[in-house]
Amino acid sequence: MGYVVLAVSFGLEGTSFLRSVRQAMPEAQTLHRDLIEHVVATSDPTLRAVFAEDAAALIGLVLAIAGLAAHQLTGSAVPDAIGSILIGLLLVVVAVVLINRNRRFLVGQEADPRIRAAVLQALLDLPEVARVTYLRLEVVGPRMISVVGDVDLSGDDTESRVAVRLRALEARSGPLQPSPTHCSACPRRTNPP
């Protein structure tokens, strides 16, 4: 009976794990990461937690089956107890990794350098941007980035016109990938008085 329960549990956990893999894989490919690297680096704590929990559950079920089989083969309860201890240690390791990774996002982690490079290039590709002198991308939530930058605009407009152009630039930056949740562009004086 124990094997049946473990087999059903393995099937259910395996289904959930495959769903999290299917969700993470396209995101990882888009960002040119392997699956594990993406799951560890993603700003989505739900994806990371589901993936880690399901992976740990599958490993734990394999350990439980091995412990149960060894118990039946040897007649000793020691292999079963060792399997239980290993499952507990596995859960502790997963919990510590998840706590540490989620803690980093609470203090405003800077976005991945590849994302920063893509946003910088997207800004430089805009015809009204002559150059970007400062750019900070900060993760503020799952798949949300705050973008703050200093840009030099092309042309020589009056101050009131510059403000209008900056607001238009901020509005146009929405299609950047990943989509910024907040975008601030500040003019920079190239010739101070």
Side-chain angles (χ1 to χ4, degrees):
M1 185 64 174
Y3 291 111
V4 172
V5 170
L6 292 173
V8 169
S9 297
F10 195 88
L12 294 173
E13 289 293 344
T15 301
S16 178
F17 182 72
L18 287 176
R19 291 187 77 176
S20 66
V21 167
R22 284 190 195 116
Q23 178 184 348
M25 189 61 78
E27 295 172 9
Q29 290 171 343
T30 299
L31 297 169
H32 306 291
R33 297 175 176 157
D34 67 34
L35 180 64
I36 301 298
E37 178 189 8
H38 177 67
V39 168
V40 170
T42 185
S43 63
D44 185 350
T46 304
L47 172 63
R48 185 174 32 257
V50 169
F51 185 92
E53 183 272 324
D54 288 342
L58 291 172
I59 294 167
L61 288 167
V62 169
L63 291 172
I65 290 170
L68 185 60
H71 174 76
Q72 284 184 335
L73 289 173
T74 64
S76 171
V78 172
D80 200 15
I82 290 172
S84 296
I85 291 169
L86 290 175
I87 291 168
L89 290 173
L90 174 66
L91 294 175
V92 167
V93 168
V94 168
V96 168
V97 168
L98 287 174
I99 289 168
N100 185 45
R101 193 68 192 129
N102 290 339
R103 178 187 54 82
R104 291 182 185 170
F105 284 105
L106 292 177
V107 293
Q109 180 173 3
E110 198 162 334
D112 183 287
R114 292 173 284 199
I115 294 172
R116 185 185 186 284
V119 170
L120 177 62
Q121 188 59 51
L123 286 172
L124 291 172
D125 289 345
L126 296 172
E128 59 264 52
V129 175
R131 68 182 181 156
V132 178
T133 58
Y134 173 80
L135 184 63
R136 168 126 175 113
L137 280 72
E138 185 176 312
V139 177
V140 294
R143 297 179 191 89
M144 293 188 296
I145 294 176
S146 173
V147 177
V148 177
D150 290 344
V151 296
D152 287 343
L153 299 176
S154 57
D156 191 21
D157 282 334
T158 62
E159 188 174 331
S160 61
R161 178 72 183 127
V162 167
V164 170
R165 289 180 67 196
L166 282 174
R167 297 302 77 84
L169 176 61
E170 289 173 0
R172 285 185 56 205
S173 65
L176 297 174
Q177 292 298 325
S179 180
T181 186
H182 171 76
C183 184
S184 294
C186 304
R188 185 168 180 276
R189 279 195 150 158
T190 53
N191 299 323

